[in-house]
Amino acid sequence: MSAKTKKRYKILFFILPKTKDEGFKKDNAKFRRSRSWVTGCVLFLIGAVVTLYVIKKYFSFLPNKVSDYIFNRYTNPDMTSLEVHHIGFLKVHKAGGSTVQNILFRFGMKRHLSFVMPIEGNKYKFSTYGREHELLFKSGSGYYDILALHSVYNESVYNEILPNDTVNIAIVREPLSLMISGAYFHRDVWKVQYLEMVPKENFIKDLIRYPELYDRNVFSLTRNSMAMDFGFPRGFHSTDSEKIEHYLQYLDSKFPLVMLVEHFDESIILFKRRLHWRLEDVLYIPLNINKHPTERALGISENDKNKFEERNFLDVAIYRFFKRKFIETVSSLGSEFRDEVEHFRNVRKSVEHYCVTNDGDKKSFDVDESSWNGPFQVLQSDCDAMLTDELKFIDKIRADIRQKKKRKQASAGI
């Protein structure tokens, strides 16, 4: 047989149909391979879902932008993929913290997030200076989404209870106005003993002029109270400018946003942008505002102010440091930011007017779409939440946690 004939024979061999047995064997093999491939894919997908669930449940290091998106995106239509859900808010005393706390509480409850919350019903703070933090309700995930209670900043404690993608936020206030507000509030509302001992006729002046008689400690509710909340260690002196600056730089590295009471609406828009929230999430009605004489009405002299800055040197340093950074940040954002703040302020005032004056005739308040928000409605239930004071809101969350725990035990037959 010639080479040409052999070649023609080979071509013909591959073109001619196979026998019945050969075709059946080939189809059966294809079926087995296809079945194995499908089974493998299904097992792989099941394994991937189980692995992600285990990571979500037992490991706090999975970033919320991934875990929340995977597990909550399709069960929670209110969520956007970039929303930050892990927040550590340092609620500095008498610095607008109750209003910010209310925003965080409302946001967290709408999205079924977990809160740092003491078990004991008469505890409303997470930690105080120089003491262990309170015993908390356990979290099923091993960490908590939001810390919004009064606390003293401690990096190791924060890292222990909050995920490592947590955004820390704080708020500060001009130190003299903070001290005046705190002095009257803690004397008149909480009946703090050392403040009740100060003569009422020259209450603030005597606190400033005679700390050796009435306010001996370097850290107190009226002396370097912001520094106490920020966790400044003891031992600083007013001449330790380099050490103070070093600690402030450390705090700056841990708090990407420190808000200012004196620029509250600007602070809230920075807050909104940093957390990728919506305008309706950050609406507020001012809370826990106590009336007291102003600095001018008290007749505080320049000598008194100088004396105050000497005795409250840490609070003065904190405020100047973060105010400078805040102003630089806002100045760099330009007119578009100012326009957003003005729009927010107008919407907020309209919402407050509706919530405070509405007699029930109007079931909702409609906010039109703008460059900074989609259209949305404010319901009477939203108003009620915005007007809920701090202690009642904490009690409400605590009761909600207990109720969920009971339901879980009942479903498990415990």
Side-chain angles (χ1 to χ4, degrees):
M1 187 183 293
S2 66
K4 190 173 183 180
T5 304
K6 286 181 179 179
K7 185 176 181 181
R8 195 181 304 123
Y9 177 79
K10 287 181 179 179
I11 294 172
L12 183 63
F13 176 79
F14 284 109
I15 291 175
L16 289 173
K18 305 290 188 300
T19 65
K20 185 176 180 181
D21 289 342
E22 287 175 331
F24 176 78
K25 289 177 182 178
K26 185 176 180 181
D27 291 342
N28 196 33
K30 283 184 178 179
F31 173 76
R32 287 197 301 271
R33 286 197 298 270
S34 299
R35 185 176 61 183
S36 299
W37 186 85
V38 171
T39 303
C41 288
V42 170
L43 290 174
F44 174 79
L45 290 172
I46 292 172
V49 171
V50 171
T51 301
L52 287 171
Y53 175 79
V54 170
I55 291 173
K56 168 73 176 177
K57 187 170 180 62
Y58 297 105
F59 293 91
S60 63
F61 57 75
L62 185 65
N64 67 312
K65 291 178 185 178
V66 176
S67 62
D68 283 344
Y69 187 88
I70 293 171
F71 291 95
N72 299 329
R73 176 68 172 177
Y74 298 106
T75 59
N76 189 349
D78 292 330
M79 180 187 160
T80 63
S81 59
L82 290 177
E83 275 184 359
V84 174
H85 285 191
H86 300 154
I87 303 110
F89 174 55
L90 186 67
K91 188 175 181 291
V92 171
H93 286 79
K94 304 313 298 174
S98 295
T99 302
V100 179
Q101 180 192 65
N102 182 274
I103 292 172
L104 289 164
F105 281 166
R106 288 186 283 119
F107 179 89
M109 291 196 74
K110 281 184 178 180
R111 283 154 178 77
H112 308 290
L113 303 179
S114 60
F115 296 96
V116 172
M117 192 61 58
I119 294 175
E120 291 188 48
N122 62 341
K123 303 291 185 181
Y124 296 92
K125 297 182 179 182
F126 169 59
S127 61
T128 52
Y129 194 82
R131 297 181 181 179
E132 291 290 327
H133 65 74
E134 300 295 339
L135 185 64
L136 305 174
F137 285 102
K138 289 184 179 180
S139 170
S141 63
Y143 63 82
Y144 305 89
D145 296 311
I146 296 176
L147 167 59
L149 303 178
H150 276 303
S151 66
V152 173
Y153 180 65
N154 182 307
E155 183 180 358
S156 62
V157 173
Y158 271 49
N159 290 344
E160 181 184 342
I161 64 171
L162 299 170
N164 64 3
D165 65 339
T166 295
V167 176
N168 288 331
I169 293 172
I171 188 167
V172 296
R173 180 178 179 180
E174 192 281 315
L176 181 55
S177 66
L178 181 142
M179 179 266 197
I180 293 170
S181 176
Y184 280 105
F185 177 76
H186 289 107
R187 184 194 71 178
D188 299 340
V189 176
W190 293 109
K191 310 297 182 184
V192 175
Q193 187 175 5
Y194 83 90
L195 294 173
E196 289 190 310
M197 293 173 61
V198 184
K200 289 189 176 182
E201 56 210 55
N202 287 307
F203 179 52
I204 299 299
K205 288 181 180 178
D206 283 350
L207 271 175
I208 293 173
R209 294 172 182 176
Y210 311 114
E212 66 279 0
L213 293 178
Y214 305 114
D215 203 357
R216 298 184 185 91
N217 297 320
V218 175
F219 294 124
S220 74
L221 294 170
T222 49
R223 191 171 181 182
N224 293 312
S225 64
M226 285 195 293
M228 186 168 61
D229 290 334
F230 273 102
F232 264 80
R234 298 184 187 277
F236 279 100
H237 190 271
S238 58
T239 58
D240 295 331
S241 56
E242 191 172 323
K243 286 174 61 179
I244 294 170
E245 179 68 20
H246 180 74
Y247 195 82
L248 289 170
Q249 292 291 346
Y250 160 72
L251 291 174
D252 187 40
S253 70
K254 301 301 176 184
F255 289 86
L257 175 61
V258 176
M259 301 184 288
L260 261 64
V261 170
E262 294 77 16
H263 298 273
F264 197 78
D265 285 340
E266 291 88 343
S267 295
I268 293 298
I269 295 303
L270 289 179
F271 175 99
K272 167 183 170 287
R273 289 185 173 195
R274 182 64 183 80
L275 301 181
H276 302 285
W277 289 9
R278 302 172 303 184
L279 185 142
E280 54 263 45
D281 296 325
V282 297
L283 291 171
Y284 70 88
I285 297 173
L287 296 172
N288 201 18
I289 297 176
N290 296 281
K291 294 183 178 181
H292 56 75
T294 63
E295 178 185 326
R296 177 175 293 183
L298 292 167
I300 306 296
S301 67
E302 286 301 316
N303 286 336
D304 291 330
K305 290 180 182 179
N306 292 334
K307 179 82 172 178
F308 170 83
E309 290 189 0
E310 288 177 10
R311 67 188 288 280
N312 284 52
F313 65 96
L314 288 175
D315 276 8
V316 171
I318 289 170
Y319 183 73
R320 287 175 178 172
F321 179 90
F322 286 113
K323 181 182 179 181
R324 181 174 66 250
K325 182 181 178 183
F326 183 93
I327 297 301
E328 289 173 356
T329 300
V330 169
S331 299
S332 69
L333 294 174
S335 60
E336 194 273 337
F337 176 79
R338 292 193 294 272
D339 291 342
E340 183 178 1
V341 172
E342 187 61 27
H343 171 72
F344 170 70
R345 187 174 286 130
N346 292 334
V347 172
R348 195 205 68 75
K349 288 180 179 178
S350 297
V351 169
E352 181 178 359
H353 182 265
Y354 161 74
C355 288
V356 174
T357 63
N358 184 40
D359 56 5
D361 293 338
K362 194 175 180 183
K363 293 184 178 180
S364 66
F365 179 83
D366 297 326
V367 178
D368 295 330
E369 184 176 4
S370 76
S371 301
W372 302 282
N373 63 275
F376 65 92
Q377 287 185 324
V378 177
L379 306 176
Q380 191 59 49
S381 58
D382 298 317
C383 295
D384 295 340
M386 281 189 274
L387 290 166
T388 302
D389 70 41
E390 177 179 346
L391 302 189
K392 288 182 180 178
F393 219 140
I394 292 173
D395 287 338
K396 175 181 173 63
I397 293 173
R398 198 152 27 207
D400 186 61
I401 294 172
R402 288 198 176 100
Q403 190 63 35
K404 287 179 180 177
K405 186 177 179 180
K406 286 181 180 179
R407 287 199 298 266
K408 187 175 180 180
Q409 289 175 341
S411 63
I414 299 175

